[in-house]
Amino acid sequence: MEMFDLSLIWALIIGFGIMMYVLMDGFDLGLGILFPFAPDEDARDVMMNTVAPVWDGNETWLVLGGAGFLAAFPLVYTVFLPALYIGVFLMVAGLVFRGVAFELRFKSRRERRGRRLWNLAFSGGSAVAAFAQGAVVGTYIQGFETQNGVFVGGAFDWLTPFTVLTGIGIMIGYALLGTTWLILKSEGYIQAWAYKLTPPLLLAVLVIFGIISIWTPLVNEVVWERWFGHIQVIWILPALTLLCMYGVYWAVQRQRELLPFMATLGMFFFTYLGLIVSKWPWLVPPNYTIWDAASAPESQLFLLLGVLFVLPFVLGYTFWSYWVFRGKVRAGEGYH
């Protein structure tokens, strides 16, 4: 009998990596979604400069999650890639366009046409990537049509009214993260614009996530049983999510700077936990658990040693980069 459940350890590591990615890359995707609505070009410079030093480090967590699935749960790739290859392609393409725009937009300061092009690449890439991520989450909630560990559904099974709604929900949620981040990192009329935009975005998130919460148990029997089979502590999580939403509203009304962002992070965190608890232990729903999808214990152990060595460095680099670039970002100043 194994002393440690390696599949469970890997599930916790990958879950942590995905959570970190959503929380940390969500706000810079949100800034991209808000880019076309910014007051002026100086405001766009400030928006981009608030995340320019950290955006690529944020995406380290996406690499950790993706590589972890390949190493520890290869069945995920066997099913997810055929089922989601269009959605994943859109997400990667959006992230690539956004990443290129970070660098080339600042090199096109004197070329109005070039700057407009990279503004479009940054905003469009962010919107497409965010929508694709939300649609993938919606597809995971729905489940996959599999036989003998192989996906047997269609190429567009991932695109349904439910997944479109989850995609839009993630886009609006990321935009809310973006405005609360901008409240923390900016000042003057840019901060005032972010304050003004936050309450309507919060209301939109409340409405859409409310609809998703009602719809989710209707598209998945496991979730219905988990939520309504008998009284569960799972209901604490949506209650905490609502509390965080109220915290955002309360903090914005009182012109707080840090609390709106922290409360929005809490909102995402408890929603993410709610999703995990609702689907646990199904990794490839509705048929395969984390243990069904796991690779050989020897492979998991070998790769786990490497991850446990690297993870503290990633955490240290992340903390250090945010610490070094703390404080306000002003027009005419920044990383570039």
Side-chain angles (χ1 to χ4, degrees):
M1 183 176 179
E2 295 182 8
M3 183 177 298
F4 301 104
D5 189 333
L6 294 174
S7 296
L8 180 59
I9 293 173
W10 268 107
L12 292 173
I13 291 173
I14 294 172
F16 175 74
I18 294 175
M19 180 193 70
M20 290 293 289
Y21 171 75
V22 170
L23 296 181
M24 302 185 72
D25 206 38
F27 63 81
D28 62 58
L29 284 169
L31 288 179
I33 293 169
L34 296 169
F35 222 56
F37 311 103
D40 53 34
E41 205 64 23
D42 285 340
R44 294 187 183 95
D45 286 344
V46 170
M47 292 167 70
M48 188 169 274
N49 270 318
T50 64
V51 294
V54 297
W55 74 271
D56 45 355
N58 294 343
E59 294 189 353
T60 303
W61 299 103
L62 182 62
V63 175
L64 174 64
F69 274 129
L70 180 61
F73 304 106
L75 182 63
V76 170
Y77 274 77
T78 303
V79 175
F80 279 30
L81 285 186
L84 300 170
Y85 71 91
I86 296 176
V88 172
F89 171 79
L90 289 174
M91 181 187 73
V92 173
L95 293 176
V96 168
F97 273 98
R98 186 182 65 121
V100 172
F102 264 107
E103 301 301 327
L104 295 186
R105 181 180 179 275
F106 286 103
K107 298 183 185 299
S108 304
R109 292 181 186 274
R110 299 178 182 178
E111 301 176 14
R112 181 175 298 179
R113 182 179 177 183
R115 174 159 281 214
R116 285 201 302 266
L117 173 64
W118 296 119
N119 284 349
L120 179 62
F122 182 63
S123 60
S126 298
V128 169
F131 175 81
Q133 289 175 15
V136 167
V137 171
T139 307
Y140 173 73
I141 294 171
Q142 287 183 160
F144 301 88
E145 188 177 348
T146 60
Q147 290 181 6
N148 300 319
V150 177
F151 177 69
V152 294
F156 289 94
D157 285 4
W158 65 278
L159 193 60
T160 67
F162 179 74
T163 62
V164 169
L165 184 64
T166 57
I168 294 172
I170 289 294
M171 288 176 65
I172 297 175
Y174 282 171
L176 179 62
L177 269 175
T179 59
T180 55
W181 169 258
L182 200 57
I183 287 170
L184 176 63
K185 298 293 289 184
S186 66
E187 58 186 13
Y189 76 97
I190 301 173
Q191 187 186 61
W193 173 71
Y195 271 124
K196 182 180 179 180
L197 206 56
T198 298
L201 284 173
L202 180 63
L203 178 61
V205 168
L206 178 62
V207 171
I208 289 184
F209 276 81
I211 296 172
I212 291 172
S213 297
I214 295 171
W215 200 340
T216 294
L218 300 178
V219 301
N220 190 286
E221 295 179 359
V222 173
V223 176
W224 177 277
E225 178 61 29
R226 192 65 54 87
W227 287 15
F228 301 109
H230 47 86
I231 296 176
Q232 295 272 357
V233 294
I234 190 175
W235 288 101
I236 294 175
L237 297 174
L240 291 172
T241 302
L242 290 174
L243 181 62
C244 288
M245 288 183 174
Y246 176 75
V248 175
Y249 175 78
W250 183 90
V252 168
Q253 295 303 308
R254 285 156 181 77
Q255 300 286 290
R256 302 295 173 87
E257 294 190 338
L258 176 61
L259 186 56
F261 181 64
M262 299 304 296
T264 307
L265 289 179
M267 182 188 77
F268 269 85
F269 175 72
F270 290 120
T271 302
Y272 178 75
L273 285 185
L275 174 62
I276 292 176
V277 173
S278 298
K279 302 294 287 186
W280 182 263
W282 307 105
L283 190 59
V284 184
N287 299 317
Y288 301 101
T289 67
I290 62 170
W291 298 281
D292 298 326
S295 60
E298 295 80 7
S299 299
Q300 289 186 332
L301 179 60
F302 176 76
L303 294 164
L304 179 63
L305 297 176
V307 168
L308 293 179
F309 175 78
V310 171
L311 195 56
F313 290 97
V314 177
L315 288 169
Y317 164 80
T318 300
F319 174 80
W320 177 81
S321 61
Y322 277 88
W323 176 256
V324 168
F325 294 101
R326 67 191 183 278
K328 299 288 186 180
V329 176
R330 300 173 178 86
E333 302 176 358
Y335 176 66
H336 284 79

